[in-house]
C-alpha cells in the first residue's frame, strides 16, 4: 500500500496507535481484520509485535474487547501481549480474552460443560495423577503380577495421550509406534475405557480431556457452538504450526458464522510432532478457509545477514514449505563457523575455549547458549565447563507443584472444590496411621455415597487404632466448609498437615518447607480456591532453583526444543554429525523434514555469532568407535555460507564440504548420499509393489514428487518416504 494513502487512512480513522512503527507486511497483517488470515512469520520477524498491534488496532476500530480471543501456548505469552497492547492503547486491553487452549477450554467447560454431562466443579489432573489412576486400574483389571509383562504406567499414559493428540485409534498407534506391545492391544483398549469411566465418575479431567471436550461441545452441541462463536467475533492464534488436529478443529469451529480468524506461525519451525503437533495444519489452513489471505513476514530483527543466509539455505531443501527469504538491516559480516573435532572431547574443549574467547571480547555468559539434539549430547561439555569453572544452567527440571509434599497440600484444596475427587481422598487418607489401600477405598466409597464429606468421615465405623486420625480429618473438612478465602483454607490445611508432613518427610522436611512457604505466598494472590487449583495444573510455577544467582554469571545449555522462542548473541549447535543429527530413527519422510526444521530453529537463535560443531568419531550402541561425517543437512549447504575453522583459526586451504563416508552402526548404514544403490523416481511408478525393512510390503500411490514418494502399507497406512534414505526395494 502507498505510504501516503496508508497515513491518510490511519488519520481519518482517528487511531492513536502509530502503525508507521510497523513494516509494510506487519501493517497489512494488523489492518486485515475481516476474514481468514494466515501470517507466515519467519524467525525473528516481529510476530509478537504484530499480534500486539493487531489487538490494539481492533479496539481502536470499535471492536468490543470481550469479543476478541487470543489463543497462545503459554499463559505468560498472552499476558505479555495484552500488557504490551495496553501500553499502546489503554487499560481496555485488559478485557480482551487471552490464554492457552487448555485455559480457555477450562473456562468454557465450566460454563457450558453441563451440555456434556459435566458439573462445573470438575478437577483437572496432571500427568502424575493420570499415571496413578492407570496404575490403580491395572491392579483392578488383573494386569499386574510377576507373570505379566504389561506396559508401565508411564508408557500407558504416553499411548493414551498420544492417541488423543495425534487423533488416531489406540490400536493404530500401537502398531505404528509401539509394535512390540501389539499383544496387549485389547487389554490397553479396555483399560482406556475404564480410565475414561473413572474420570467421569469422579469429576476429573486430564489435559487431553479439556481439548477433547471443548471440541465435542462445539461439534455436538449447536446451541453452545452458536453462543461461543458469536461471543468471539475476532480470533487470533499464535504459534499455529504447533497445534494438533483437535486444536485446529477447535479453531475452525470457533470461527463458525464469521471466519474472522488470524493464525500466525512458521511452518519452518514446526518441531513438536512428538507432542502431537501436526505440521500440515498450517499447510492446509488455506484449504480449510477457502478465502484465506496469506501475508509473509520476512524482515528479521534478530540476526545478522550471514546467519540468515545460512538458515535460508537450510530450509531451502525442505520438501514442503511456504517459500520465504529472511533478510535484515542489521550490520554484521562474520560468517557462521564450522568446527570438526577429533572426538566428542575435542569438540567440548573447542566450545569451552571459544566461550572463554567470547567472554574476553565482552560478551556476557547470559548471552551465550549451547544447543543440542538430545540432553546426553552435552555431557562431555558439562564436564569441561565444570573443570574450567564456567557457570551454566541446563534447562529443565520439575515444576514446583510436581513435588510429593506440594501435591499433598493441593489435594486438600482440590477436595474443597470437588468432594468426589477420589484420587485426592486416597492420597490424604493413606497418610493416616494404620490406614492402608483397602481401608482408604472403603472410606472413599462411603464419601462418594454421602452428601457431606466431614459428616461421612465422622460417622464412619473406624478401628480403634486409626479412629483419632479420621476424626481429625473429619473436623478439618467441617472447618473448611465454612471458609472460602484461599489463604485461610491454606492455614487450616497446614495446621492439620504439619505434623504429618514432618513425619512423612522426616529426612528432609526443612528443605521441603521452603517450597511450602513459596506455595503459601502464591495462594495469597488468588481470590478463589478454584482458580488456584486450576492453575496448579494448567500453569504450574517453576521451582525457585537458581533464583539467587545473577543471570550474568551463567550461560545456557539447552536442547533445541527447549530453546524455541529464545535468542542469544552467540549460539553453538553441537553434535551435528551424520547419524546423530538427524538421528538414525528419522531416515524417512516427515521425520527427516522435522529434523531439518530443528536445525533451522537452532541456527535462528543466534544474533551475532553462530558456531556449528561435530565430532569425527562417535561411540556406537555396541561401544565401538566409528568415523562419521558432518550432518547431511550441512553437506547440502551452498559453498561460501560458512567457514571451516580448527583450533588455530580459519582453514582457508580446505574445502568447506569434505565429508567422510556414512557411519555404520551395528551393520546398518546411516543416511548418506554417497552410494548409488538407491531407487530412482523413474523406478517407482504408481502401483509398483515395494518392500521397506520396517513397514513391510506396500504399493506406490502416485508418481514421486522430487525425492519423496507416498507408499501405502497394509498395517501402517500411507507413509511419505525419502528415496535417499528409505531403503526401499522393488518386489
Amino acid at each position: 500500500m502507498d505510504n501516503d494513502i496508508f497515513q491518510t487512512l490511519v488519520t481519518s480513522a482517528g487511531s492513536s496507535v502509530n502503525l508507521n512503527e510497523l513494516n509494510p507486511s506487519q501493517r497489512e497483517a494488523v489492518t486485515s481484520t475481516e476474514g481468514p488470515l494466515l501470517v507466515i512469520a519467519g524467525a525473528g520477524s516481529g510476530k509478537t509485535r504484530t499480534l500486539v498491534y493487531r489487538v490494539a488496532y481492533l479496539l481502536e476500530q470499535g471492536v468490543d474487547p470481550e469479543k476478541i480471543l487470543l489463543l497462545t501456548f503459554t499463559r505468560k505469552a498472552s499476558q505479555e501481549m495484552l500488557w504490551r497492547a495496553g501500553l499502546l492503547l489503554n487499560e481496555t486491553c485488559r478485557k480482551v480474552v487471552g490464554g492457552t487452549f487448555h485455559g480457555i477450554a477450562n473456562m468454557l467447560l465450566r460454563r457450558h460443560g453441563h451440555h456434556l454431562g459435566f458439573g462445573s466443579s470438575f478437577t483437572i489432573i496432571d500427568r502424575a495423577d493420570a499415571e496413578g489412576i492407570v496404575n490403580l486400574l491395572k491392579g483392578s483389571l488383573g494386569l499386574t503380577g510377576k507373570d505379566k509383562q504389561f506396559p508401565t504406567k508411564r508408557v500407558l499414559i504416553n499411548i493414551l495421550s498420544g492417541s488423543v493428540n495425534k487423533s488416531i485409534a489406540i490400536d493404530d498407534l500401537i502398531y505404528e509406534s509401539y509394535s512390540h506391545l501389539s499383544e496387549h492391544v485389547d487389554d490397553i483398549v479396555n483399560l482406556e475405557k475404564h480410565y475414561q469411566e473413572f474420570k467421569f465418575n469422579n469429576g476429573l479431567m486430564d489435559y487431553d480431556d479439556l481439548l477433547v471436550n471443548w471440541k465435542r461441545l462445539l461439534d455436538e452441541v449447536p446451541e453452545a457452538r452458536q453462543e461461543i462463536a458469536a461471543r468471539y467475533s475476532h480470533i487470533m492464534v499464535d504459534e499455529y504450526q504447533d497445534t494438533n488436529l483437535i486444536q485446529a478443529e477447535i479453531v475452525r469451529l470457533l470461527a463458525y458464522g464469521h471466519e474472522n480468524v488470524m493464525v500466525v506461525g512458521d511452518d519452518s519451525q514446526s518441531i513438536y510432532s512428538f507432542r502431537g503437533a501436526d505440521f500440515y495444519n498450517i499447510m492446509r489452513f488455506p484449504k480449510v478457509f477457502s478465502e484465506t489471505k496469506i501475508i509473509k513476514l520476512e524482515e528479521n530483527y534478530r540476526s545478522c545477514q550471514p546467519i540468515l543466509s545460512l538458515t535460508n539455505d537450510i530450509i531451502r531443501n525442505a520438501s514442503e514449505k511456504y517459500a520465504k527469504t529472511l533478510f535484515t538491516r542489521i550490520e554484521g559480516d562474520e560468517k557462521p563457523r564450522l568446527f570438526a573435532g577429533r572426538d566428542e572431547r575435542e569438540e567440548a574443549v573447542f566450545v569451552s575455549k571459544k566461550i572463554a574467547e567470547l567472554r574476553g571480547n565482552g560478551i556476557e555468559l547470559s548471552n551465550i547458549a549451547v544447543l543440542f539434539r538430545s540432553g546426553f549430547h552435552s555431557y562431555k561439555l558439562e564436564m569441561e565447563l565444570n573443570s574450567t569453572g564456567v557457570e551454566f544452567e541446563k534447562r529443565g527440571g520439575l515444576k514446583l507443584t510436581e513435588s510429593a509434599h506440594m501435591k499433598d497440600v493441593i489435594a486438600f484444596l482440590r477436595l474443597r472444590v470437588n468432594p468426589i475427587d477420589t484420587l485426592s481422598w486416597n492420597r490424604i487418607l493413606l497418610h493416616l496411621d494404620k490406614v492402608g489401600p483397602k481401608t482408604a477405598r472403603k472410606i472413599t466409597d462411603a464419601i462418594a455415597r454421602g452428601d457431606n464429606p466431614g459428616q461421612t468421615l465422622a460417622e464412619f465405623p473406624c478401628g480403634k487404632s486409626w479412629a483419632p486420625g479420621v476424626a481429625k480429618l473429619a473436623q478439618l473438612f467441617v472447618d473448611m466448609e465454612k471458609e472460602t478465602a484461599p489463604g485461610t483454607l491454606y492455614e487450616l490445611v497446614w495446621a492439620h498437615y504439619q505434623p504429618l508432613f514432618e513425619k512423612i518427610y522426616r529426612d528432609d522436611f526443612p528443605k521441603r518447607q521452603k517450597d511450602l512457604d513459596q506455595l503459601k505466598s502464591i495462594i495469597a494472590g488468588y481470590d478463589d480456591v478454584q482458580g488456584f487449583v486450576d492453575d496448579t495444573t494448567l500453569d504450574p510455577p517453576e521451582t525457585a532453583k537458581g533464583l539467587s544467582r545473577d543471570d550474568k554469571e551463567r550461560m545456557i545449555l539447552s536442547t533445541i526444543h527447549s530453546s524455541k522462542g529464545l535468542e542469544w548473541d552467540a549460539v553453538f549447535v553441537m553434535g551435528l554429525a551424520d547419524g546423530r543429527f538427524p538421528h538414525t530413527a528419522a531416515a524417512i519422510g516427515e521425520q527427516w523434514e522435522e529434523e531439518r526444521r530443528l536445525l533451522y530453529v537452532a541456527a535462528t537463535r543466534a544474533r551475532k555469532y553462530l558456531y556449528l560443531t561435530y565430532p569425527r568419531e562417535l561411540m556406537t550402541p555396541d561401544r565401538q568407535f566409528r568415523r562419521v561425517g558432518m550432518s547431511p543437512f550441512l553437506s547440502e549447504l551452498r559453498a561460501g555460507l560458512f567457514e571451516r575453522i580448527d583450533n588455530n583459526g580459519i582453514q582457508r586451504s580446505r574445502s568447506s564440504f569434505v565429508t567422510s563416508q556414512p557411519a555404520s552402526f551395528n551393520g546398518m548404514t546411516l543416511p548418506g548420499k554417497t552410494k548409488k544403490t538407491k531407487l530412482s523416481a523413474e523406478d517407482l511408478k504408481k502401483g509398483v509393489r515395494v518392500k521397506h525393512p520396517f513397514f513391510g510390503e506396500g504399493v506406490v500411490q502416485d508418481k514421486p514428487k522430487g525425492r519423496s514418494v507416498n507408499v501405502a502399507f497394509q498395517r501402517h497406512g500411507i507413509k511419505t518416504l525419502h528415496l535417499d534414505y528409505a531403503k526401499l526395494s522393488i518386489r
Side-chain angles (χ1 to χ4, degrees):
M1 182 184 294
D2 181 83
N3 194 59
D4 291 334
I5 297 176
F6 180 80
Q7 187 58 49
T8 302
L9 181 89
V10 173
T11 304
S12 64
S15 174
S16 63
V17 179
N18 185 7
L19 298 179
N20 280 324
E21 294 179 349
L22 305 174
N23 67 41
S25 296
Q26 291 172 334
R27 287 201 301 263
E28 187 179 8
V30 166
T31 57
S32 300
T33 59
E34 303 302 312
L37 175 64
L38 170 60
V39 178
I40 302 299
S45 63
K47 166 182 66 71
T48 300
R49 182 181 180 86
T50 301
L51 284 165
V52 166
Y53 271 77
R54 183 180 172 89
V55 169
Y57 182 79
L58 285 169
L59 295 174
E60 278 288 302
Q61 302 309 301
V63 177
D64 184 339
E66 295 182 356
K67 282 185 166 292
I68 300 174
L69 176 61
L70 174 62
L71 289 168
T72 61
F73 275 84
T74 66
R75 187 167 66 167
K76 181 180 178 182
S78 62
Q79 289 175 334
E80 181 180 343
M81 288 182 199
L82 297 180
W83 175 75
R84 287 174 57 180
L87 295 180
L88 286 175
L89 196 60
N90 52 48
E91 292 188 357
T92 306
C93 297
R94 292 184 179 180
K95 297 181 180 180
V96 172
V97 182
T100 65
F101 276 90
H102 293 87
I104 300 300
N106 174 50
M107 176 187 74
L108 292 175
L109 286 171
R110 294 196 186 279
R111 294 177 183 173
H112 305 281
H114 61 276
H115 289 295
L116 302 176
F118 293 101
S120 61
S121 61
F122 61 83
T123 296
I124 305 168
I125 61 174
D126 62 16
R127 184 186 174 97
D129 295 327
E131 289 182 356
I133 295 172
V134 163
N135 222 30
L136 187 69
L137 293 173
K138 279 175 63 179
S140 64
L141 294 172
L143 299 174
T144 58
K146 292 182 179 179
D147 58 334
K148 299 282 187 179
Q149 298 297 319
F150 204 65
T152 63
K153 60 185 180 180
R154 179 185 63 81
V155 172
L156 288 169
I157 287 298
N158 285 344
I159 292 172
L160 301 187
S161 182
S163 171
V164 172
N165 284 287
K166 296 181 180 180
S167 297
I168 59 177
I170 288 176
D171 52 353
D172 287 340
L173 177 64
I174 291 172
Y175 289 131
E176 179 178 310
S177 303
Y178 301 87
S179 57
H180 60 293
L181 301 177
S182 56
E183 64 181 292
H184 301 297
V185 165
D186 292 341
D187 284 333
I188 295 174
V189 169
N190 184 45
L191 184 143
E192 193 272 343
K193 183 186 75 171
H194 283 82
Y195 177 60
Q196 298 301 339
E197 290 174 354
F198 183 96
K199 289 184 294 180
F200 185 81
N201 292 336
N202 289 280
L204 308 174
M205 285 195 203
D206 61 25
Y207 293 129
D208 299 329
D209 294 327
L210 291 171
L211 298 183
V212 169
N213 290 323
W214 186 9
K215 176 181 173 293
R216 284 184 58 206
L217 186 68
L218 295 171
D219 197 25
E220 299 173 12
V221 187
E223 174 189 344
R225 179 174 64 246
Q226 291 174 6
E227 181 179 345
I228 295 170
R231 180 185 183 92
Y232 303 115
S233 63
H234 289 79
I235 301 163
M236 287 173 279
V237 186
D238 188 22
E239 303 285 13
Y240 192 71
Q241 79 281 348
D242 294 336
T243 55
N244 62 26
L245 287 170
I246 297 177
Q247 290 165 324
E249 186 65 6
I250 286 171
V251 171
R252 184 186 70 81
L253 293 166
L254 279 174
Y256 173 79
H258 58 74
E259 294 197 347
N260 293 331
V261 55
M262 166 185 168
V263 300
V264 183
D266 184 4
D267 54 297
S268 299
Q269 297 187 68
S270 179
I271 59 173
Y272 295 116
S273 65
F274 66 95
R275 295 180 186 170
D278 192 327
F279 167 77
Y280 291 100
N281 281 346
I282 197 167
M283 303 304 294
R284 68 170 70 96
F285 185 85
K287 296 179 181 178
V288 175
F289 295 94
S290 59
E291 301 299 318
T292 295
K293 180 178 184 179
I294 301 176
I295 298 173
K296 298 176 184 178
L297 305 184
E298 297 175 291
E299 183 171 356
N300 179 282
Y301 296 93
R302 174 187 300 157
S303 308
C304 59
Q305 191 59 52
I307 292 175
L308 294 182
S309 295
L310 181 136
T311 57
N312 284 335
D313 213 51
I314 290 173
I315 214 66
R316 171 181 60 87
N317 295 296
S319 60
E320 287 191 68
K321 60 184 180 296
Y322 287 103
K324 59 183 176 296
T325 302
L326 298 182
F327 67 93
T328 186
R329 302 178 194 183
I330 298 173
E331 295 183 1
D333 56 5
E334 184 164 322
K335 292 180 181 180
R337 304 290 175 82
L338 175 68
F339 175 81
R342 181 176 60 255
D343 52 24
E344 289 183 89
R345 185 180 183 282
E346 186 173 82
E347 180 187 23
V349 169
F350 167 80
V351 172
S352 179
K353 287 182 177 178
K354 190 56 65 174
I355 288 170
E357 183 181 313
L358 289 167
R359 294 179 71 187
N361 291 334
I363 296 185
E364 295 176 340
L365 271 181
S366 60
N367 273 323
I368 302 173
V370 181
L371 309 181
F372 29 83
R373 174 66 183 77
S374 300
F376 70 90
H377 292 171
S378 68
Y379 289 167
K380 287 286 195 301
L381 176 62
E382 290 174 47
M383 294 171 62
E384 186 65 29
L385 293 176
N386 282 325
S387 70
T388 57
V390 175
E391 294 280 355
F392 63 87
E393 174 189 334
K394 192 169 183 180
R395 289 291 163 87
L398 285 175
K399 300 290 187 182
L400 184 67
T401 52
E402 289 176 348
S403 303
H405 53 293
M406 304 293 274
K407 292 177 77 67
D408 291 344
V409 172
I410 293 168
F412 289 97
L413 300 174
R414 280 168 47 160
L415 288 169
R416 177 63 180 81
V417 295
N418 180 13
I420 63 170
D421 181 352
T422 304
L423 205 63
S424 293
W425 276 119
N426 193 63
R427 186 178 193 94
I428 64 175
L429 287 169
L430 289 176
H431 287 158
L432 303 181
D433 279 341
K434 309 300 182 181
V435 174
K438 290 183 179 179
T439 302
R441 188 175 301 175
K442 290 178 182 178
I443 298 174
T444 300
D445 290 343
I447 291 171
R449 293 192 298 268
D451 296 325
N452 185 297
Q455 183 178 348
T456 302
L457 279 171
E459 297 174 354
F460 191 84
C462 299
K464 186 176 181 180
S465 62
W466 46 277
V470 173
K472 290 180 181 178
L473 188 61
Q475 186 58 50
L476 170 64
F477 279 93
V478 170
D479 295 340
M480 288 176 67
E481 276 295 318
K482 303 172 185 176
E483 299 292 343
T484 58
T488 305
L489 286 168
Y490 178 84
E491 294 295 346
L492 288 171
V493 169
W494 178 239
H496 171 85
Y497 177 67
Q498 184 176 9
L500 295 172
F501 165 70
E502 294 180 359
K503 180 180 178 182
I504 297 167
Y505 305 106
R506 58 182 178 274
D507 292 336
D508 64 348
F509 74 83
K511 179 181 177 182
R512 293 173 183 262
Q513 178 69 55
K514 296 177 182 178
D515 290 341
L516 291 170
D517 291 341
Q518 192 174 350
L519 184 68
K520 180 180 178 180
S521 64
I522 291 171
I523 290 175
Y526 283 83
D527 295 326
D528 64 273
V529 72
Q530 180 75 70
F532 165 75
V533 169
D534 288 348
D535 282 355
T536 59
T537 308
L538 292 172
D539 193 32
E542 300 285 351
T543 62
K545 179 183 177 182
L547 292 181
S548 61
R549 281 181 171 181
D550 183 351
D551 280 349
K552 293 182 180 180
E553 294 180 355
R554 69 182 189 270
M555 56 172 292
I556 298 298
L557 304 186
S558 174
T559 62
I560 299 170
H561 286 100
S562 297
S563 74
K564 190 169 176 294
L566 304 175
E567 58 187 69
W568 296 270
D569 281 350
V571 170
F572 296 80
V573 188
M574 291 184 69
L576 292 172
D578 191 2
R580 174 167 281 188
F581 201 134
H583 64 82
T584 55
I588 56 174
E590 180 50 34
Q591 290 177 314
W592 181 271
E593 291 303 319
E594 181 160 322
E595 292 287 301
R596 182 194 308 281
R597 297 193 293 268
L598 196 60
L599 177 57
Y600 175 83
V601 167
T604 53
R605 301 307 95 199
R607 298 188 192 110
K608 300 177 181 178
Y609 307 102
L610 175 62
Y611 296 89
L612 310 169
T613 71
Y614 71 96
R616 291 197 182 98
E617 186 178 76
L618 285 175
M619 181 181 288
T620 65
D622 59 352
R623 303 188 66 80
Q624 299 296 312
F625 287 97
R626 295 286 189 270
R627 293 279 295 174
V628 294
M630 69 169 73
S631 165
F633 299 141
L634 295 182
S635 62
E636 290 176 346
L637 295 174
R638 294 168 178 166
L641 290 177
F642 62 78
E643 294 175 321
R644 270 188 176 273
I645 60 174
D646 57 21
N647 287 314
N648 299 315
I650 299 173
Q651 298 178 357
R652 301 193 182 278
S653 61
R654 296 181 60 182
S655 167
S656 293
F657 300 95
V658 176
T659 62
S660 63
Q661 294 295 312
S664 176
F665 283 67
N666 291 326
M668 180 184 75
T669 302
L670 298 179
K673 294 195 174 185
T674 59
K675 294 185 178 181
K676 189 57 182 176
T677 58
K678 313 178 197 71
L679 296 175
S680 67
E682 291 72 25
D683 296 325
L684 298 173
K685 298 179 181 178
K686 184 177 180 181
V688 170
R689 297 185 64 81
V690 296
K691 187 173 183 179
H692 184 271
F694 178 78
F695 296 122
E697 295 183 0
V699 178
V700 176
Q701 293 297 288
D702 45 39
K703 183 179 179 181
K705 298 177 181 178
R707 297 294 294 164
S708 296
V709 61
N710 292 322
V711 180
F713 296 96
Q714 185 173 1
R715 173 166 286 185
H716 299 278
I718 296 177
K719 300 292 180 184
T720 302
L721 307 179
H722 197 290
L723 296 183
D724 288 335
Y725 316 109
K727 297 184 182 177
L728 287 174
S729 59
I730 296 178
R731 289 197 67 241

